[in-house]
Amino acid sequence: MKLKTEEILLKGLPVGTVDAARLMLEMAEALGERVKGLERRGMMQLVRRVVQLGIRQLEMEENTVSFEEAAWASVDARAGRRPTTRRDLRYFMRKFLRAEGIAGRPLRAITTKECAAVLRETCGSCPSTFKKGRMVLHSVFEFGIQQEWCDTNPVARIKVPTVEEKTIMPLTLEEVNRLEQTAMKPKHRDMRLSLNLMLYCGVRPTEVSRVKPEQDIDWHKKEVLIRPQTSKTGGGRVIPMRKAAHIPVQDRVIPTNWNNRWHKLRKDAGFNQWQADACRHTFASYHAMHFHNLPMLQQEMGHRNQNLLHTRYVTAFLDHNAAGFWR
């Protein structure tokens, strides 16, 4: 029996002429208005285009990984970052992966709606936590784009929450004196240099704990170098050391168990509660009021601009308070 042309063309394929006709009909129905008025040649060109695009999309969808694989791969790619940064990344990744149904989802298939649901579930209603979680989740998809596991970043369409910066009151002169007097006691003398760097240089606690006095402090010039790998923001800076000349040579050390030593110093000084970066706020506020030089303060604090100084750090004080602090 002689085969028809359409049967010859379909030979070897697990479909018949009826199947082919049905697929063509479904395609025409899906294309809707696009096929109206087309002649045979135009129709075939449109169908070929649909097939080519479909094949390309199928290949792209197959070239992806699960969200879990992408998440940990993005953490591994930042192996050179500071331990605290990697710790925070792992913390958020574990939270994300506990969200229902997200771990095994193909990265390319995840939508903005799903990302928003993950952030709501894992970060709650705290704007600052949501903002940080959004940043970490955003980085997973950015890494995925680099690896060609996805083409767009669905997190980019999620609005960044506004975090209201609260004015933090700096320490009073009496509180500063309590800390300094406590640091002069024999059991706390290894924290005298650390306290000076926080109070009179505005160095962050995490940065202080990484300072190496023999390498980072020039006692002749009275300057401390915060190296990029030491800095929280990754930018280095040189800060003048004020009121540091009185620190004896044997006390110019940074203890290894720094966090515990800092906690014990505060407790022995009578601080049962402590606001994060209180010493840094104190430095900034008294510096601004006494020296009246925000560009200099910005440089010493390591900020890119002065906005944060105005909204968070600088608090109005009487001149005699600022003068007393630096005296």
Side-chain angles (χ1 to χ4, degrees):
M1 179 178 176
K2 188 176 180 180
L3 295 176
K4 296 180 181 179
T5 303
E6 59 268 26
E7 292 174 334
I8 295 174
L9 292 174
L10 294 172
K11 189 176 181 180
L13 296 177
V15 294
T17 55
V18 176
D19 298 320
R22 184 178 292 114
L23 287 173
M24 183 64 79
L25 181 61
E26 290 176 0
M27 193 179 302
E29 290 175 348
L31 290 170
E33 295 293 329
R34 291 185 180 87
V35 301
K36 282 190 177 181
L38 290 179
E39 296 182 356
R40 179 180 176 278
R41 183 177 178 181
M43 180 70 175
M44 292 303 295
Q45 288 177 340
L46 180 59
V47 169
R48 287 193 182 96
R49 183 182 171 204
V50 170
V51 171
Q52 291 168 358
L53 291 173
I55 293 172
R56 192 180 308 167
Q57 182 64 30
L58 184 62
E59 291 174 344
M60 289 170 59
E61 289 180 359
E62 290 174 346
N63 180 32
T64 190
V65 296
S66 68
F67 175 80
E68 182 173 16
E69 185 176 344
W72 292 125
S74 71
V75 174
D76 292 340
R78 286 174 275 193
R81 302 292 291 274
R82 286 187 291 271
T84 52
T85 301
R86 287 173 53 80
R87 181 199 63 200
D88 290 345
L89 288 172
R90 288 192 294 268
Y91 168 77
F92 274 101
M93 296 310 176
R94 286 192 289 267
K95 286 175 70 73
F96 294 154
L97 292 172
R98 286 196 293 268
E100 185 177 357
I102 195 68
R105 286 277 285 153
L107 193 69
R108 194 183 297 277
I110 297 175
T111 65
T112 299
K113 186 177 180 179
E114 288 176 293
C115 291
V118 168
L119 289 173
R120 285 195 302 270
E121 181 179 340
T122 59
C123 300
S125 58
C126 176
S128 58
T129 304
F130 190 97
K131 183 177 181 179
K132 190 167 186 178
R134 180 193 178 280
M135 179 178 65
V136 174
L137 188 58
H138 186 278
S139 70
V140 175
F141 287 93
E142 286 300 302
F143 180 76
I145 292 172
Q146 294 174 12
Q147 304 303 311
E148 297 185 351
W149 294 335
C150 59
D151 301 300
T152 59
N153 192 330
V155 184
R157 292 190 287 272
I158 298 176
K159 183 179 179 181
V160 180
T162 301
V163 179
E164 182 180 351
E165 295 289 353
K166 297 181 180 179
T167 300
I168 298 179
M169 294 300 291
L171 300 172
T172 65
L173 296 189
E174 186 274 331
E175 290 172 326
V176 170
N177 185 60
R178 277 162 47 197
L179 282 171
E180 292 189 313
Q181 292 298 319
T182 304
M184 292 179 67
K185 295 178 180 180
K187 63 183 293 188
H188 292 298
R189 292 180 73 92
D190 61 346
M191 288 297 292
R192 290 188 69 181
L193 175 58
S194 297
L195 185 61
N196 182 279
L197 292 175
M198 289 186 288
L199 277 176
Y200 302 112
C201 300
V203 183
R204 300 176 179 91
T206 51
E207 295 173 338
V208 171
S209 66
R210 301 170 188 153
V211 168
K212 293 179 173 56
E214 65 280 4
Q215 300 174 16
D216 301 333
I217 296 179
D218 187 328
W219 289 98
H220 178 69
K221 294 182 179 179
K222 296 295 186 296
E223 293 177 339
V224 57
L225 169 63
I226 305 300
R227 300 177 185 273
Q229 59 269 34
T230 299
S231 170
K232 175 185 175 183
T233 58
R237 63 192 192 277
V238 176
I239 311 170
M241 293 186 67
R242 304 177 179 91
K243 300 181 68 171
H246 65 283
I247 301 178
V249 175
Q250 64 270 24
D251 295 339
R252 297 173 181 180
V253 297
I254 302 293
T256 53
N257 54 338
W258 195 89
N259 287 323
N260 289 334
R261 299 294 299 131
W262 176 220
H263 176 75
K264 289 178 181 178
L265 172 62
R266 299 196 313 261
K267 185 177 180 181
D268 287 355
F271 292 92
N272 296 320
Q273 293 183 335
W274 185 261
Q275 214 159 17
D277 284 340
C279 290
R280 185 168 164 86
H281 289 280
T282 301
F283 165 80
S285 296
Y286 285 121
H287 188 296
M289 202 62 192
H290 185 68
F291 296 107
H292 305 287
N293 191 333
L294 287 186
M296 179 172 68
L297 176 58
Q298 174 193 333
Q299 182 178 357
E300 293 183 19
M301 295 279 284
H303 289 169
R304 292 188 179 90
N305 55 60
Q306 296 178 19
N307 293 338
L308 195 57
L309 293 178
H310 290 288
T311 58
R312 188 176 189 187
Y313 287 103
V314 178
T315 307
F317 279 92
L318 297 176
D319 283 335
H320 71 269
N321 283 341
F325 177 81
W326 294 107
R327 206 167 39 238

